[in-house]
């Protein structure tokens, strides 16, 4: 793996702050959906970047399993946050409460992994918490795009009772886990993986914005934005791939020096 | 609520034990260099859980043991079809005999394994005893998942005034989450490949696996009971 060109801490800070602000802005007329699209793309990139770090270690089973488990943890904390905020009758507490519960649950899971399964990886707790947070933000922002608000009772009726949350979950798993799985290897590079992650997120948002036809009259606009975003980032991905494949394409041999040139 | 808590703990512990029975080969099995189902343990368990819970949902309204049986049969059918076609592809497509180097003699058929294992590999395909072990695993997983499904569904239908479809959707979401978490935890415990209950590795791993699955299911069930309590009284 080549060195990080963008440090993980910066991605984490930018994602957490901007996404939470964007989720709180999801009720705004017309702009709300665009803000939520930004939040979910940022969170997907953050989760994939953390997965690049934890995926180097062998945890005993494949890389996708981490995302499956942590996405389920995020969904459990999402549902409990909805219930707590509707018990408190305070819809502004929903995203913050979800983040708090996600941190606690993923910390318990990482402690079980460390002390019972004896997985000796230093960054395990930190990576598990980061991936759970990012998955939670993807889940919340995609369901905000469907419901067009962050009010927990509307989300409960529109997203959970209809079963759409399972669709969102599987799509988020695909968007987060596919880029690292398809780019991993000695020649793996941050820009290439993250551009594929962003293009995957836009691809999933195309489906979600078609589903949002139920609640928003601007679904055409969101579909157009997702389509343009997907084209832009997929073109970037192809350009990076061609750049880094050059040394193999010319000589037909795998580069000796981990493909740094 | 106590009833729900106990059946959730039993159900998810059963899922965790069932994962250990499934012969999993991982990526090496996809290249025919190791025996077992050619995918990771989480993938095959989640597929098994989805089919099991869907077939359990078909039996909504029947008594609880019928729901559990229906889920078990759904999981077993999915598992046996997967393993059968994996074997068909291995025999007629790749051209390798079904053998594993993890045990010397198959106790059911009595076939010697050593002569048929290619040098440099640890076996290929799914031998008879591993096939039976996979069926046992999917039986346990299906019973566990549909037990959780039935208990969550009956709690919802007793206390909430939603329609059958919404109750079924909520119960499906909650019981699938159990599969997602417990299956991955169990496969961390297995760590790589396993060839069913006749394997030496199974005897080393099953006790710690049962204990750890019990612990994680207690934590999960407490969270679940908290969530469902909130749904009912919140």
């Amino acid at each position: 793996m080549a060195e990080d060109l963008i440090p993980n801490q910066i991605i984490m800070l930018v994602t957490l702050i901007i996404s939470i602000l964007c989720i709180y802005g999801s009720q705004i007329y017309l702009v709300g959906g665009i803000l939520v699209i930004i939040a979910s793309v940022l969170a997907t990139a953050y989760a994939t970047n953390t997965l690049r770090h934890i995926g180097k270690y062998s945890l005993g089973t494949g890389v996708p399993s981490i995302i499956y488990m942590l996405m389920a943890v995020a969904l459990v904390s999402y549902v409990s946050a909805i219930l707590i905020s509707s018990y408190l009758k305070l819809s502004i507490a929903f995203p913050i409460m979800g983040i708090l519960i996600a941190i606690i649950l993923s910390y318990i899971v990482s402690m079980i992994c460390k002390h019972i399964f004896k997985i000796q990886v230093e960054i395990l707790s930190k990576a598990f918490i980061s991936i759970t947070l990012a998955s939670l933000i993807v889940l919340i922002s995609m369901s905000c795009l469907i419901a067009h608000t962050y009010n927990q009772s509307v989300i409960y009726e529109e997203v959970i009772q209809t079963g759409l949350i399972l669709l969102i979950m599987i799509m988020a798993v695909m968007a987060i886990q596919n880029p690292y799985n398809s780019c991993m290897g000695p020649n793996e590079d941050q820009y290439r993986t993250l551009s594929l992650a962003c293009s995957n997120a836009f691809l999933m948002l195309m489906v979600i914005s078609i589903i949002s036809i139920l609640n928003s009259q601007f679904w055409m606009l969101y579909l157009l934005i997702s389509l343009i975003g997907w084209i832009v980032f997929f073109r970037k991905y192809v350009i990076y791939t061609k750049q880094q494949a050059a040394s193999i394409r010319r000589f037909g041999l795998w580069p000796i020096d981990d493909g740094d040139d | 609520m106590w009833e729900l808590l106990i059946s959730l703990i039993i159900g998810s512990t059963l899922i965790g034990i069932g994962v250990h029975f499934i012969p999993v080969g991982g990526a090496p099995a996809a290249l025919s260099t190791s025996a077992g189902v050619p995918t990771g343990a989480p993938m095959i368990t989640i597929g098994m859980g989805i089919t099991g819970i869907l077939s359990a949902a078909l039996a909504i309204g029947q008594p609880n043991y019928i729901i559990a049986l229906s889920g078990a049969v759904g999981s077993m059918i999915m598992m046996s079809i997967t393993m059968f076609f994996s074997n068909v592809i291995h025999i007629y497509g790749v051209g390798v005999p079904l053998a594993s180097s993890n045990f010397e003699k198959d106790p059911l058929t009595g076939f010697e394994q050593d002569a048929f294992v290619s040098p440099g590999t640890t076996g290929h395909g799914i031998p008879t005893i591993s096939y039976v072990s996979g069926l046992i695993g999917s039986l346990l997983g299906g019973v566990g998942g549909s037990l959780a499904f039935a208990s969550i569904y009956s709690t919802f239908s007793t206390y909430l005034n939603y329609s059958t479809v919404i109750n079924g959707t909520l119960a499906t979401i909650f019981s699938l989450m159990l599969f997602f978490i417990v299956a991955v935890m169990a496969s961390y415990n297995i760590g790589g490949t396993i060839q069913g209950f006749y394997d030496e590795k199974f005897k080393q791993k099953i006790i710690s696996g049962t204990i750890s699955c019990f612990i994680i299911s207690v934590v999960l069930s407490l969270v679940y009971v908290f969530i469902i309590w909130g749904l009912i009284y919140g």
Side-chain angles (χ1 to χ4, degrees):
Chain A
M1 191 182 87
E3 277 185 21
D4 274 10
L5 299 158
I6 314 168
N8 199 19
Q9 283 89 339
I10 289 181
I11 298 183
M12 180 177 84
L13 270 180
V14 169
T15 306
L16 285 183
I17 294 171
I18 294 184
S19 322
I20 290 171
L21 289 181
C22 287
I23 287 170
Y24 279 126
S26 62
Q27 257 171 339
I28 303 172
Y29 184 77
L30 178 68
V31 190
I34 302 171
L35 291 179
V36 172
I37 287 176
I38 295 172
S40 49
V41 173
L42 276 177
T44 311
Y46 172 40
T48 308
N49 200 43
T50 320
L51 183 64
R52 289 174 62 243
H53 291 269
I54 186 77
K56 283 186 297 183
Y57 301 95
S58 169
L59 297 183
T61 178
V63 176
S65 65
I66 307 172
I67 303 294
Y68 269 107
M69 178 178 70
L70 296 179
M71 188 63 79
V73 172
L75 186 48
V76 170
S77 46
Y78 171 95
V79 177
S80 26
I82 283 183
L83 295 175
I84 291 176
S85 52
S86 53
Y87 176 73
L88 297 175
K89 296 196 169 47
L90 201 65
S91 67
I92 206 161
F94 162 51
I96 299 289
M97 201 56 86
I99 285 174
L100 285 181
I101 298 171
I103 289 174
I104 296 170
L105 278 184
S106 54
Y107 189 70
I108 295 176
V109 168
S110 72
M111 278 299 130
I112 290 175
C113 279
K114 254 187 188 170
H115 294 292
I116 298 178
F117 301 137
K118 305 270 189 293
I119 299 177
Q120 299 299 338
V121 178
E122 279 180 25
I123 58 167
L124 192 80
S125 306
K126 206 177 150 190
F128 272 26
I129 291 173
S130 309
I131 295 178
T132 315
L133 280 186
S135 319
L136 180 78
I137 292 175
V138 175
L139 288 178
I140 291 180
S141 51
M142 283 188 175
S143 38
C144 281
L145 185 56
I146 292 179
H148 206 260
T149 171
Y150 65 89
N151 190 314
Q152 79 284 349
S153 52
V154 180
I155 287 183
Y156 181 70
E157 277 177 15
E158 298 285 340
V159 182
I160 294 188
Q161 285 192 354
T162 52
L164 282 175
I165 189 71
L166 277 178
L167 177 77
I168 293 179
M169 196 188 105
I170 296 291
M171 290 206 296
V173 168
M174 266 155 52
I176 293 174
Q177 158 261 314
N178 170 273
Y180 181 72
N181 238 20
S182 54
C183 293
M184 72 180 173
N187 209 7
E188 195 263 338
D189 176 74
Q190 192 183 26
Y191 280 1
R192 183 157 52 105
T193 313
L194 290 193
S195 58
L196 185 57
C198 292
S199 84
N200 271 359
F202 277 117
L203 197 60
M204 303 303 157
L205 281 167
M206 277 158 66
V207 181
I208 300 281
S209 44
I210 293 174
I211 297 173
S212 77
I213 194 171
L214 297 170
N215 291 304
S216 165
Q217 68 268 48
F218 301 117
W219 65 278
M220 268 309 206
L221 178 68
Y222 305 146
L223 181 62
L224 195 69
I225 290 173
S226 322
L227 189 65
I228 293 171
W230 178 68
I231 291 172
V232 167
F233 277 98
F234 199 74
R235 279 175 66 95
K236 277 231 162 258
Y237 169 67
V238 172
I239 290 170
Y240 286 130
T241 309
K242 279 189 175 164
Q243 267 176 14
Q244 283 147 5
S247 57
I248 300 172
R249 201 168 48 171
R250 285 179 197 138
F251 309 117
L253 296 172
W254 196 254
I256 300 163
D257 48 349
D258 280 359
D260 281 339
D261 51 338
Chain B
M1 279 296 150
W2 284 108
E3 210 177 302
L4 177 69
L5 181 69
I6 292 169
S7 49
L8 278 179
I9 291 176
I10 293 175
S12 40
T13 314
L14 276 180
I15 296 170
I17 297 172
V19 177
H20 288 78
F21 277 88
I22 297 172
V24 171
L31 309 171
S32 300
T33 59
S34 167
V37 182
T39 183
M43 301 296 127
I44 193 73
T45 318
I46 289 165
M48 181 185 99
I50 290 174
T51 39
I53 288 172
L54 283 184
S55 57
L58 290 178
I60 277 178
Q62 312 278 348
N64 274 359
Y65 68 93
I66 303 259
I67 298 184
L69 273 182
S70 165
V73 169
S75 294
M76 285 170 81
I77 287 175
M78 183 270 175
M79 201 67 201
S80 55
I81 289 175
T82 310
M83 292 193 293
F84 178 73
F85 280 97
S86 159
N87 273 352
V88 166
I89 288 171
H90 271 116
I91 295 171
Y92 296 107
V94 186
V96 287
L98 308 177
S100 169
S101 66
N102 286 33
F103 41 86
E104 286 175 357
K105 199 174 172 185
D106 197 318
L108 282 182
T109 54
F111 290 155
E112 297 286 345
Q113 305 284 310
D114 269 354
F116 299 100
V117 176
S118 314
T121 68
T122 58
H124 10 66
I126 301 161
T128 312
I129 188 72
S130 300
Y131 198 100
V132 173
S133 175
L135 286 183
I136 296 173
S138 55
L139 172 74
L140 290 178
V143 167
S146 41
L147 191 66
F149 175 83
S151 62
I152 295 173
Y153 178 78
S154 63
T155 314
F156 280 162
S157 56
T158 320
Y159 291 102
L160 290 177
N161 296 322
Y162 293 147
S163 66
T164 314
V165 176
I166 294 178
N167 281 337
T169 313
L170 288 176
T172 309
I173 293 171
F174 282 118
S175 42
L176 263 183
M177 286 310 102
L178 277 183
F179 270 96
F180 273 70
I181 298 178
V182 175
V184 176
M185 292 310 247
S187 63
Y188 282 161
N189 181 51
I190 294 171
T193 64
I194 194 166
Q195 307 307 334
F197 66 87
Y198 197 60
D199 192 351
E200 277 298 313
K201 198 173 176 183
F202 181 80
K203 286 155 199 154
Q204 300 163 7
K205 297 279 186 185
I206 185 65
I207 294 171
S208 65
T210 311
I211 294 170
S212 52
C213 288
F214 180 72
I215 293 172
I216 188 72
S217 52
V218 168
V219 174
L220 265 181
S221 312
L222 284 175
V223 176
Y224 266 45
V225 168
F226 170 69
I227 290 175
I228 291 166
W229 184 84
L231 262 181
I232 293 168
Y233 300 104

